[in-house]
Amino acid sequence: MPADIAIMAQPLAVALHAVRGAEAKAGARIAVIGLGGIGSLAVAACTAQGIETIAVDVSPARLDIAKRSGASVLIDASQEDAAAAIKRATGGDGADIVLETSGVPKGLETAMNAVSRGGHIRLVGLHRDPSPLNLTRLVLDEIRISTSKVHICDQDLPEALALLNDHPEIATTSIDAVIDLEDVVTAGLMRMAAGEADGKTIVRLPTSDPR
């Protein structure tokens, strides 16, 4: 496997771990909120398993990545109420599973409002500040909340490599830029800090001199 494909196994393993823990199966109505590096890979992982997804973000570029990753419904949360749009896309019921990968309060609010009765919210994004939850609705509608942290090496990494072997386009679709080590600050970290990176940034290490 080419190195520029195999290098995406680790972030894909994170996405696979999140999808597996959500107990997602074909036919389930799944919404992915936040289409950064992990969110877009979660869409791709679902697509490869025959699971349709609803993709939500505020970035047209990230929505385009989700489209190329196989999302069946695209929702621009900067242009419309994402929760209402998810309910329309699911016939008014809401999503059976919501993967919250944005890590922002608005994403969690959307997840709470968009999940179906008896549904499952899977928290993947890191929420750095305390966020209020409507505990009454969680109880009355029997909504489950679970969390997903990184991956299990001997379980998720082999599956990620196998998936990349069968679907190398997952890697190429999710890569935002390939940069040299000398450019890691200006073309890498600064772009990420400014929110300008729409996918994963790969750093190309200098090759050793054979002499």
Side-chain angles (χ1 to χ4, degrees), residues 37 61 87 128-129 190 195:
K87 287 194 172 183
R128 309 209 177 263
D129 298 313
M190 291 179 69

Side-chain angles (χ1 to χ4, degrees), residues 24-32 42-43 45-55 69-73 89-90 95-97 99:
K25 298 179 181 178
R29 297 167 296 186
I30 300 179
V32 180
V43 171
C46 287
T47 299
Q49 298 175 57
I51 304 170
E52 294 187 355
T53 56
I54 301 167
S69 297
S72 55
V73 178
T90 55
D96 301 312
I97 298 169
L99 298 180

